[in-house]
Amino acid sequence: MTSIHLHLLSDSTGETLEMLAKAALAQFENADVVRHFWPMVRSRQHLDRIVPEFKANPGLVLFTLVNPETRARLEESCAQLGLPAVPILDRVTAALEKALGQEAHGRPGRQHAMDQAYFERVEAIQFTIAHDDGIGSEDWEEADILLAGVSRSSKTPTSIYLANRGYKVANIPLVVESPPPPALYRLKHPLVVGLTTAPERLVQIRRNRLLSLNEGHQTAYIDNERVKDEVAFARRMFADNGWAVIDVTRRSIEETAAAVIRLLGDRGRHKGGDFEGVKPI
């Protein structure tokens, strides 16, 4: 197994850098990566305190630094240590400068500025948390998206991920013995999406959940036939109401969320609007 040290330096929160590094690392199997995260590096003095860590743990350095002096200092230090230093946004920024015909602003953390989009995202997160697991049905019409599905079909984590993209999301568990509130069938604004999964996979997830809670296994919650009935019940409800359906069996949360966003974009275009289903990050 290959082992490396990966140093991530950013002059802001480092969120963008972390996401890009994670996406790239996903392409490699059996790689033992030790990450060293260095956010808010905005001065030579701060950088000089970090450089000894490079020497102690030599590896690959990825950075997003816009201050020329700090950047030059980093590149000089890495060259002296014989370490590769990769400015991961340079090629993208250069291409955008050429396409837009203007020079990029060298302002640290510019992509995280507290503009209107930022406050909309905070509002979306607050709404989503307050409308988890079927709560607050009287406000569902305000949601952008409503996710429906049986227990442990990844409704909550998908909702939170979408909320971080700026979407107001509500979700509701579908239970055979407990019909959903009538408000669910009257919704006009939200896109209702049904999440489904293979019964066998669902049993496994639920069993692991019970193990984590130190609860017994003699329950209908993980009975194979009962779970099949639950999934079939949910699928019939999706079909009867014409709701879009996403099978999450082999999807990550990110993949499920991306599929929901595409559905939302398709819906906007179908209605003749210019909404493309992507909100700013």
Side-chain angles (χ1 to χ4, degrees):
M1 178 180 294
T2 304
S3 177
I4 66 165
H5 288 274
L6 183 62
H7 295 273
L8 306 175
L9 279 83
S10 173
D11 49 22
S12 185
T13 63
E15 179 182 348
T16 301
L17 185 59
E18 278 198 300
M19 286 193 298
L20 289 172
K22 182 179 179 181
L25 286 170
Q27 306 302 314
F28 299 90
E29 297 180 356
N30 301 320
D32 180 20
V33 180
V34 181
R35 301 188 199 189
H36 305 267
F37 184 46
W38 312 102
M40 308 304 291
V41 181
R42 296 186 175 181
S43 68
R44 287 186 54 174
Q45 293 78 10
H46 188 177
L47 180 60
D48 288 344
R49 293 195 298 270
I50 296 172
V51 169
E53 295 292 333
F54 296 172
K55 187 174 182 179
N57 302 287
L60 176 62
V61 179
L62 305 182
F63 68 90
T64 53
L65 299 175
V66 297
N67 181 278
E69 182 182 0
T70 308
R71 176 178 174 142
R73 181 71 168 181
L74 171 65
E75 292 175 332
E76 178 186 352
S77 299
C78 288
Q80 291 175 351
L81 294 171
L83 302 179
V86 181
I88 63 171
L89 292 181
D90 272 24
R91 293 186 65 181
V92 176
T93 302
L96 286 171
E97 286 181 331
K98 183 177 180 180
L100 296 172
Q102 58 179 282
E103 186 176 348
H105 293 284
R107 187 188 308 171
R110 183 177 176 85
Q111 72 272 31
H112 299 294
M114 293 179 66
D115 55 10
Q116 183 61 32
Y118 170 85
F119 291 106
E120 288 178 357
R121 187 168 67 213
V122 171
E123 183 181 356
I125 293 171
Q126 292 174 338
F127 178 94
T128 300
I129 292 174
H131 295 84
D132 182 41
D133 206 31
I135 297 174
S137 59
E138 66 277 6
D139 301 323
W140 285 352
E141 191 61 38
E142 300 176 24
D144 298 309
I145 301 159
L146 188 139
L147 302 179
V150 300
S151 174
R152 314 311 298 177
S153 56
S154 76
K155 297 183 301 300
T156 295
T158 304
S159 296
I160 296 299
Y161 186 93
L162 286 165
N164 275 280
R165 294 292 302 271
Y167 300 98
K168 292 183 179 180
V169 187
N171 73 76
I172 179 174
L174 299 180
V175 182
V176 177
E177 300 84 2
S178 179
L184 177 62
Y185 307 107
R186 298 195 298 264
L187 295 175
K188 301 297 183 183
H189 174 67
L191 171 71
V192 181
V193 179
L195 302 184
T196 188
T197 187
E200 299 79 13
R201 176 61 175 159
L202 190 56
V203 169
Q204 181 183 356
I205 293 172
R206 290 182 176 185
R207 184 174 287 116
N208 291 338
R209 173 64 173 168
L210 293 179
L211 279 172
S212 70
L213 297 175
N214 294 318
E215 295 185 5
H217 290 177
Q218 301 303 317
T219 171
Y221 187 62
I222 56 173
D223 179 78
N224 288 322
E225 293 305 316
R226 173 58 183 269
V227 172
K228 288 180 181 178
D229 289 343
E230 284 186 59
V231 173
F233 164 77
R235 281 186 170 276
R236 284 195 300 272
M237 183 179 294
F238 302 154
D240 290 345
N241 291 278
W243 296 332
V245 181
I246 297 175
D247 189 329
V248 303
T249 305
R250 292 181 175 83
R251 294 179 189 260
S252 66
I253 298 303
E254 294 86 351
E255 289 171 330
T256 301
V260 173
I261 292 171
R262 283 195 297 271
L263 288 170
L264 199 57
D266 291 343
R267 184 197 201 200
R269 287 187 290 271
H270 180 70
K271 289 185 175 182
D274 59 0
F275 175 61
E276 293 296 325
V278 178
K279 293 199 175 185
I281 298 179

